[in-house]
Amino acid sequence: MSAFRIEVRRTVAPWVPVAMLAVSLGLLLSRGPWNYDSGAWNATWLTAVRWSRYLLVLLWPIIVGAAAIQGMRDVRAGVGELFSSTPRPAGQRARTLGLALGLTAVAGYLVLVAAGVGQVVAKGGLFTTAWMMQLVLGVLSVLAGVALGLGLGRLLPYPITAPVLAVLALAGGLFAQVSGTNRAAPNAVVLLGIGQVQPRGPFDQPRTAVEIGQLSWVLGLAAAGILLLLASSARTKVLALLPVAAGLAVALPLFPATPEDNYAPDKTAAALVCDGPVCVTRLHEDWLSTVAGPGKEALRRLEKLPQHPTRVEESAEPYRTTRVGPRDPSRLLIQQDDYALRDKSGPGLTMAMLSGAGTLPCHALSYGGEKNDREDAARWVMAQWLLGSYTPPSSQRQPPLRPRTDSAWAALKAAPEAEQTIRIAAARQAELTCTGDPLKILLEGAR
């Protein structure tokens, strides 16, 4: 225990968690992607842990670099030969140093996680077990960084080693995260990144196969670092590559081919809680009282259409997911993070639900453009027709939709009532299947 205290006091160990928390909490408390909607850092247990893993892309370089500095300590100080002549085993000295760095780094990481989880608990957030494996992976990633940094520092005791390792760790992590967003690299390469790819929503739980694959990879890195730290011969150093190869051999076959298959809904959080035909997820159960009345009114107005929806359900898909059509015509899907529903209640919420005759938009992640503007105009007119009167959209929108909505409304109302119903139903079908031009259907009819 005295040796452990000495290692803590005379190494960079106490400063590693300080640097980790300064970087991570400094970012998390600022405006960033982790502060939005129901997938925010402090919204659920799962998002608190996943955003902490996401920030390992910045924390891992600190951990690896600091560990490398300590790993080269004996050689740089010229005491390697002296220590080798003492009866105390080299493994015992390495274990004490690794324990000091590992425990302090893990403590810093757990404080970061606790800062998010504490806010979730204070707000009465829903508890599920989906976060547990993510926490284990985060802690093991920290320990793998310590082991790898110590081992490589001992193997390459040069002044440039620590900064180069930190830069490589940062570059590799950023490459994996960016590639996970724009699909510039295979999915397996993305999943090998230490930092979690940006969480898309509160319901996305990484699949078991993904977690097992990442666990194997991280354990392989940790074992390689330990072997390098304890190696006393060139042969042992070469053998350190075997755990890395074994981790890859287990992980790569388990990783899905496409990013869409990386996640499954958290069944506990996504379970439905209903008031008659209107349902929201258990995670957002407090939203039900707001949604129930407007949802029932929206269903009543949609009854004039053939194949009208009979239920309102909150979708567990991430907001503005890239998955589009075809959709189930019997369900009117809503999303709490949809800006069109945000802070709305009563008649305003009913109108928002009637947009597109009770369908989600098809333009997914793209913003702006002629096609999107035409779709938005059609969706507005469809809602106005169901409400029974026309109110033009806000003139503050850029580009303004009113020229398109005015002409579509005039053309629609000029047709016989039966034809109006046919056009609205056809435009709704176009939105359900994400095919065709709903604005053209409202202007000219279904052909």
Side-chain angles (χ1 to χ4, degrees):
M1 184 59 69
S2 59
F4 175 79
R5 286 197 298 267
I6 291 172
E7 291 289 12
V8 170
R9 284 166 33 211
R10 296 186 178 180
T11 64
V12 298
W15 298 105
V16 171
V18 173
M20 292 171 61
L21 291 173
V23 170
S24 58
L25 291 179
L27 287 171
L28 289 171
L29 296 176
S30 66
R31 190 169 179 82
W34 36 76
N35 282 337
Y36 292 108
D37 306 323
S38 58
W41 167 58
N42 55 3
T44 71
W45 287 73
L46 180 58
T47 55
V49 177
R50 290 189 66 200
W51 278 116
S52 300
R53 275 196 71 201
Y54 173 82
L55 283 180
L56 280 174
V57 71
L58 300 178
L59 304 183
W60 219 58
I62 297 173
I63 296 167
V64 173
I69 292 173
Q70 294 304 137
M72 67 179 72
R73 178 183 61 179
D74 291 355
V75 177
R76 297 288 296 171
V79 295
E81 184 177 351
L82 173 63
F83 283 157
S84 65
S85 64
T86 62
R88 187 183 181 195
Q92 187 177 352
R93 295 196 308 272
R95 183 174 66 247
T96 304
L97 175 60
L99 191 62
L101 275 171
L103 288 181
T104 53
V106 167
Y109 183 73
L110 292 179
V111 169
L112 167 63
V113 174
V117 169
Q119 296 178 68
V120 177
V121 173
K123 294 187 296 185
L126 177 66
F127 175 86
T128 72
T129 59
W131 57 273
M132 292 182 178
M133 190 59 179
Q134 290 297 297
L135 180 62
V136 170
L137 285 170
V139 170
L140 289 178
S141 297
V142 171
L143 293 175
V146 171
L148 203 59
L150 287 172
L152 291 173
R154 183 173 183 270
L155 178 68
L156 304 169
Y158 309 115
I160 198 174
T161 297
V164 167
L165 288 178
V167 170
L168 289 177
L170 178 62
L174 289 175
F175 174 78
Q177 285 192 347
V178 172
S179 299
T181 302
N182 60 23
R183 305 193 181 199
N187 187 53
V189 174
V190 173
L191 292 177
L192 290 176
I194 293 298
Q196 169 76 50
V197 175
Q198 179 174 329
R200 301 179 302 163
F203 304 102
D204 276 355
Q205 179 181 355
R207 293 186 182 274
T208 302
V210 171
E211 292 181 325
I212 293 175
Q214 291 180 331
L215 178 64
S216 302
W217 170 237
V218 171
L219 288 176
L221 292 178
I226 293 171
L227 285 177
L228 287 175
L229 183 61
L230 301 179
S232 57
S233 65
R235 181 182 178 183
T236 311
K237 294 174 183 177
V238 173
L239 289 177
L241 294 174
L242 290 180
V244 177
L248 286 174
V250 174
L252 293 180
L254 290 174
F255 288 155
T258 60
E260 289 79 11
D261 296 325
N262 290 344
Y263 304 97
D266 179 354
K267 293 181 180 180
T268 302
L272 294 178
V273 180
C274 302
D275 179 349
V278 180
C279 303
V280 299
T281 62
R282 188 179 172 196
L283 180 65
H284 299 146
E285 188 173 359
D286 58 347
W287 194 36
L288 182 59
S289 59
T290 302
V291 172
K296 293 173 184 177
E297 175 65 13
L299 291 176
R300 185 185 70 80
R301 291 185 176 274
L302 284 162
E303 287 177 354
K304 65 177 69 175
L305 298 178
Q307 292 187 322
H308 57 80
T310 57
R311 286 170 60 85
V312 175
E313 289 186 10
E314 182 186 1
S315 172
E317 287 283 341
Y319 178 53
R320 287 194 176 276
T321 177
T322 53
R323 299 180 187 179
V324 293
R327 287 83 172 264
D328 181 359
S330 67
R331 296 185 300 162
L332 192 166
L333 296 178
I334 57 175
Q335 294 175 299
Q336 192 183 67
D337 293 337
D338 188 346
Y339 68 90
L341 306 183
R342 193 170 298 161
D343 300 325
K344 285 188 171 61
S345 60
L349 183 54
T350 298
M351 177 180 167
M353 290 184 183
L354 291 175
S355 178
T359 61
L360 294 175
C362 288
H363 49 66
L365 286 175
S366 57
Y367 296 89
E370 175 72 13
K371 183 177 180 180
N372 291 5
D373 293 339
R374 290 179 63 86
E375 182 186 7
D376 288 344
R379 293 177 61 81
W380 181 272
V381 171
M382 294 159 74
Q384 301 302 304
W385 185 84
L386 289 165
L387 288 170
S389 61
Y390 176 65
T391 302
S394 171
S395 59
Q396 296 178 350
R397 178 185 169 110
Q398 295 297 327
L401 293 181
R402 183 164 184 176
R404 289 187 172 92
T405 59
D406 284 352
S407 58
W409 179 261
L412 182 65
K413 295 302 288 183
E417 186 171 343
E419 172 64 16
Q420 293 178 32
T421 303
I422 291 173
R423 291 189 186 185
I424 294 294
R428 170 177 157 80
Q429 184 63 26
E431 287 293 271
L432 286 171
T433 58
C434 292
T435 58
D437 183 350
L439 186 62
K440 184 177 181 181
I441 293 172
L442 296 179
L443 288 166
E444 304 173 8
R447 299 178 186 275

